[in-house]
Amino acid sequence: MSPTQHDVGPETVVLGIETSCDETAAAVVLGGRDIISSVVSSQIDMHAEFGGVVPEVASRAHLESMNPVVRKALADAAIEPTRVDAVACTVGPGLIGALLVGVSSAKALSLAWNVPFVGVNHLEAHLYAGFLEDELLEFPLVVLLVSGGHTMIVEMRDHGDYSLLGSTIDDAAGEAFDKVARFLDLGYPGGPAIDRAATQGDPDAIRFPRAMMDDGLNFSFSGLKTSVMNHVRRHPDVDSLDVAASFQQAVVDVLVHKTFRAAREVGATGVVLGGGVAANSLLRSEMTAAGRSAGIRVSLPGREMCTDNAAMIGAAGWHRLRTVGASPLDIGAFPSMPLVTSGGHPDE
Ligand code: KG4
Ligand code: ZN
């Protein structure tokens, strides 16, 4: 039974699929909100020895994991494939080889089960992670989306109606965490490694620059990374735990300051965090504190909903199916797909 745009409702079951980077994920989501199952198979160990994601390795691993991950998502949800009303999958942005594995699999399942296929923008899905865990969110919202590839402040006026208020002009926040962690030899992936190291360091030990602090809503993290490297080269005996804590404090200060400035500027009722860096302990506690003093609701999705997962794809897919409808089966994959505000995909 294929739902049309008009009968997508609380009982509609969407199977979400995500393969844009190094996580093969599938999830069953009911009514765009209830996570019935969520399975994430991470490739972190495979890429760790290279210090970063190797695209070719990622594509092959997705191919091997896809069927078992989908099977487990259905088994954990205790449903038969006949209960699935639509298959939603990330179509971009991401690594092209990795995306194609998910897109091809999702299209095959939608054909085999005779249900709609929904192409989802990965960035839009990160915006939706907040909705999976906070029923009280009301528009307009400001979302800080901070991941390994993106750092952006988005105004969300309604479902599918967004404005990009600011973004990074060089490195993404997660990229800065990963590069600094690699430089300090703290391990991979860098974000969680710095998060852990910082708990034992002094955040006030070194005053690293807060770039563009009072200059609009864009970000720059490349100078901070260089400043960390220069400091360590000039002071080889410096405690790397202090460097990690001071670096993290500088990143968090800028993220919190600009997010709340944006929230005040657009009169947002709430602030939502999304993307892998939103799992950062200091960012979470400082966002919560800033929200309390500004009287603005701050919504922090659980850490597993901040990093890449398929539940957010299922949720975004449900909203897209309801507001825009199914995607054509000849749609491709889009490595540099922007966050679109019209609900359209690049080739529609
Ligand atoms: O959203 P995500 O899982 O994948 C992308 O779409 O990029 O984000 C991954 C990024 C990596 O750069 C990783 O180091 C960072 O999120 N990250 C963190 C933490 N956990 C993951 N950064 C800071 N603190 C964390 N606890
Ligand atoms: Zn992501």
Side-chain angles (χ1 to χ4, degrees), residues 251-264:
V251 175
V252 168
D253 281 355
V254 180
L255 293 175
V256 173
H257 180 77
K258 296 215 175 204
T259 304
F260 277 88
R261 179 199 291 177
R264 281 191 300 274

Side-chain angles (χ1 to χ4, degrees), residues 20 122 126 147 275 308 312:
S20 66
H122 181 87
H126 272 303
S147 70
D308 287 350
M312 66 183 193

Side-chain angles (χ1 to χ4, degrees), residues 15-18 25-29 38-40 305 308-315:
L15 174 73
I17 291 178
E18 154 66 31
V28 175
V29 178
S38 178
V39 180
V40 179
M305 283 300 123
D308 287 350
N309 67 85
M312 66 183 193
I313 308 300

Side-chain angles (χ1 to χ4, degrees), residues 6-287:
H6 305 290
D7 50 37
V8 176
E11 295 304 316
T12 304
V13 170
V14 177
L15 174 73
I17 291 178
E18 154 66 31
T19 64
S20 66
C21 191
D22 59 344
E23 259 97 31
T24 316
V28 175
V29 178
L30 174 69
R33 169 147 272 163
D34 293 332
I35 306 169
I36 311 299
S37 68
S38 178
V39 180
V40 179
S41 167
S42 174
Q43 306 169 4
I44 281 178
D45 295 346
M46 290 178 207
H47 301 290
E49 62 175 299
F50 305 106
V53 177
V54 183
E56 173 78 15
V57 173
S59 311
R60 287 173 187 274
H62 285 308
L63 211 47
E64 280 170 21
S65 307
M66 179 52 65
N67 284 347
V69 165
V70 168
R71 221 176 286 128
K72 182 158 174 27
L74 293 175
D76 287 359
I79 60 164
E80 293 297 322
T82 47
R83 180 64 187 86
V84 174
D85 297 306
V87 181
C89 178
T90 304
V91 293
L95 302 168
I96 184 65
L99 288 168
L100 285 172
V101 176
V103 171
S104 310
S105 307
K107 286 178 180 173
L109 290 173
S110 102
L111 276 172
W113 296 340
N114 192 27
V115 295
F117 164 77
V118 190
V120 169
N121 182 313
H122 181 87
L123 301 175
E124 187 174 2
H126 272 303
L127 303 183
Y128 272 96
F131 287 86
L132 282 164
E133 302 197 349
D134 189 344
E135 296 192 355
L136 301 176
L137 287 178
E138 276 178 34
F139 298 113
L141 296 167
V142 158
V143 187
L144 173 68
L145 178 45
V146 266
S147 70
H150 298 87
T151 298
M152 39 178 79
I153 299 180
V154 179
E155 180 192 0
M156 212 173 169
R157 285 180 296 270
D158 202 341
H159 295 292
D161 184 9
Y162 324 115
S163 289
L164 184 60
L165 300 179
S167 59
T168 180
I169 59 167
D170 41 53
D171 291 352
E175 195 180 349
F177 270 95
D178 292 336
K179 286 176 177 170
V180 167
R182 194 183 316 164
F183 178 72
L184 296 175
D185 238 351
L186 291 175
Y188 172 86
I194 290 198
D195 199 340
R196 272 192 306 275
T199 59
Q200 299 164 59
D202 175 5
D204 299 319
I206 309 145
R207 179 77 192 170
F208 288 124
R210 275 80 170 146
M212 301 170 69
M213 192 70 156
D214 292 305
D215 181 12
L217 294 174
N218 285 338
F219 300 96
S220 166
F221 294 111
S222 154
L224 170 60
K225 173 195 66 193
T226 309
S227 171
V228 168
M229 291 173 176
N230 288 342
H231 185 90
V232 174
R233 285 185 185 124
R234 273 199 301 269
H235 306 89
D237 296 332
V238 69
D239 183 347
S240 48
L241 301 177
D242 285 346
V243 178
S246 302
F247 159 78
Q248 178 177 267
Q249 188 69 56
V251 175
V252 168
D253 281 355
V254 180
L255 293 175
V256 173
H257 180 77
K258 296 215 175 204
T259 304
F260 277 88
R261 179 199 291 177
R264 281 191 300 274
E265 278 179 17
V266 303
T269 61
V271 162
V272 185
L273 257 59
V277 182
N280 183 264
S281 315
L282 184 71
L283 181 62
R284 295 170 80 86
S285 61
E286 300 229 337
M287 278 287 179

